[in-house]
Amino acid sequence: MVEVAYRDIVASGVRVRVSERGEGPPVVLLHDVLFDHSTWNATAQSLAQSHHVVAPDLPGFGESEKPPPSRFPYTVDAFTEALADLYAGLGLGRAALVGHGLGGAVALTLAARHAELVSRLVLIDTPCYATPLTLEQRVAGLPLLGGLVFKQLFNRVSFRTFFRSRLLSRGAPTKALDRIDYYYDQFNSPAARGSALATLRATSDTRNIVARTSRVRSPTLVLWGRQDRLVPAALGQRLSKEIHGAGFELVDAGHTPQEEQPERTAQAISSFLA
């Protein structure tokens, strides 16, 4: 096991918790909504055999500060600028960048805006194209009722149901199912619920992300869960065709390959980075 170190960095005026492990070329791992840096733990251990692995909690998630939307807008652009600040705070320079879900949208945007910071890019089950909204997304978008339901009535049972029906594959391993309660506990505070709700509302329109795909010039791998029920694999294949020279690989998983198949995910990333 490679030892993990933690520190706090101020990015865009927000305190961000960062985990670091390993030595070598830097690789940054970005998580999705409702997750935190720990979603990468198993994958990061493998990557840390040959890389300096940096996995932050995005603003509003995990152990990072959870400011109100009046101070941090929770848009993809806001997360991207916070990430650029994080690069500077850590003195990373140029690094490989891996993003899952929302983290993928942020990674893609950074690569399009600041190509000098991204040596290689891996996008995992990244929402770029319009898909039918889930019930949870539709409820979150309601001005008053959405806030009430999401902040007060979205309980442990609802959370488990959402993960099992939308994020995990039908044959998800027990270890992935066991993680659901951990993520619920991280989510179940007024500040965390507020940050998640603000993020879902601010990132629902993906048109700006689609517009940036043609500007990505970093060598790119699009990695997707074959059984993703939230963002179908066909959209991942489409994304790979719209990014110049991008590769495309499928993993036998749902929306969260790093949770269901961490070693396979690490292998795909390592091979691409090599």
Side-chain angles (χ1 to χ4, degrees), residues 6 16 35 49 56 93 121-122 129 144 155 189 199 209 226 260:
Y6 296 90
V16 174
F35 294 82
Q49 305 302 319
L121 179 66
V122 181
Y129 309 105
L144 297 177
N155 59 22
S189 73
T199 301
I209 303 170
R226 189 187 307 274
E260 295 189 45

Side-chain angles (χ1 to χ4, degrees), residues 33-78:
V33 183
L34 302 180
F35 294 82
D36 62 22
H37 79 276
S38 69
T39 190
W40 299 109
N41 279 350
T43 298
Q45 279 294 328
S46 294
L47 294 175
Q49 305 302 319
S50 56
H51 290 80
H52 173 208
V53 182
V54 178
D57 287 337
L58 292 174
F61 297 90
E63 297 299 322
S64 289
E65 186 181 356
K66 300 168 180 62
S70 59
R71 190 155 71 84
F72 186 82
Y74 294 99
T75 61
V76 170
D77 287 347

Side-chain angles (χ1 to χ4, degrees), residues 178-195:
D178 289 344
R179 295 278 294 163
I180 298 175
D181 282 339
Y182 165 79
Y183 289 123
Y184 178 78
D185 292 337
Q186 292 292 100
F187 163 80
N188 192 28
S189 73
R193 285 174 179 256
S195 295

Side-chain angles (χ1 to χ4, degrees), residues 20-217:
E20 297 179 273
R21 69 190 90 193
E23 297 181 355
V27 54
V28 180
L29 309 177
L30 304 179
H31 63 82
D32 197 1
V33 183
L34 302 180
F35 294 82
D36 62 22
H37 79 276
S38 69
T39 190
W40 299 109
N41 279 350
T43 298
Q45 279 294 328
S46 294
L47 294 175
Q49 305 302 319
S50 56
H51 290 80
H52 173 208
V53 182
V54 178
D57 287 337
L58 292 174
F61 297 90
E63 297 299 322
S64 289
E65 186 181 356
K66 300 168 180 62
S70 59
R71 190 155 71 84
F72 186 82
Y74 294 99
T75 61
V76 170
D77 287 347
F79 284 118
T80 301
E81 292 312 307
L83 178 60
D85 276 0
L86 189 67
Y87 264 69
L90 293 170
L92 286 178
R94 192 169 169 84
L97 187 55
V98 180
H100 167 240
L102 168 66
V106 175
L108 189 156
T109 302
L110 188 77
R113 286 185 175 176
H114 302 286
E116 72 281 2
L117 297 179
V118 182
S119 59
R120 286 181 176 259
L121 179 66
V122 181
L123 303 175
I124 303 177
D125 296 77
T126 297
C128 285
Y129 309 105
T131 56
L133 295 178
T134 66
L135 175 61
E136 293 79 9
Q137 290 170 323
R138 292 198 300 270
V139 169
L142 298 174
L144 297 177
L145 181 61
L148 173 65
V149 172
F150 201 82
K151 292 182 179 180
Q152 299 183 32
L153 302 180
F154 193 36
N155 59 22
R156 189 180 297 272
V157 173
S158 303
F159 196 88
R160 286 172 175 170
T161 300
F162 175 72
F163 259 69
R164 288 172 174 168
S165 64
R166 299 292 185 180
L167 302 186
L168 299 177
S169 67
R170 290 180 175 85
T174 302
K175 62 184 178 182
L177 295 173
D178 289 344
R179 295 278 294 163
I180 298 175
D181 282 339
Y182 165 79
Y183 289 123
Y184 178 78
D185 292 337
Q186 292 292 100
F187 163 80
N188 192 28
S189 73
R193 285 174 179 256
S195 295
L197 176 63
T199 301
L200 288 174
R201 286 176 168 174
T203 61
S204 60
D205 188 344
T206 60
R207 286 176 294 181
N208 286 338
I209 303 170
V210 176
R212 292 168 182 146
T213 57
S214 62
R215 295 166 53 190
V216 173
R217 289 293 178 265

Side-chain angles (χ1 to χ4, degrees), residues 242-266:
E242 294 189 7
I243 296 177
H244 179 73
F248 179 67
E249 288 189 37
L250 288 171
V251 178
D252 191 16
H255 183 69
T256 58
Q258 76 282 1
E259 293 279 349
E260 295 189 45
Q261 300 286 348
E263 292 302 325
R264 172 69 182 86
T265 301

Side-chain angles (χ1 to χ4, degrees), residues 125 224-228 231-238 248 250:
D125 296 77
W224 224 264
R226 189 187 307 274
Q227 301 179 55
D228 191 337
V231 188
L235 296 182
Q237 189 170 31
R238 175 182 171 186
F248 179 67
L250 288 171

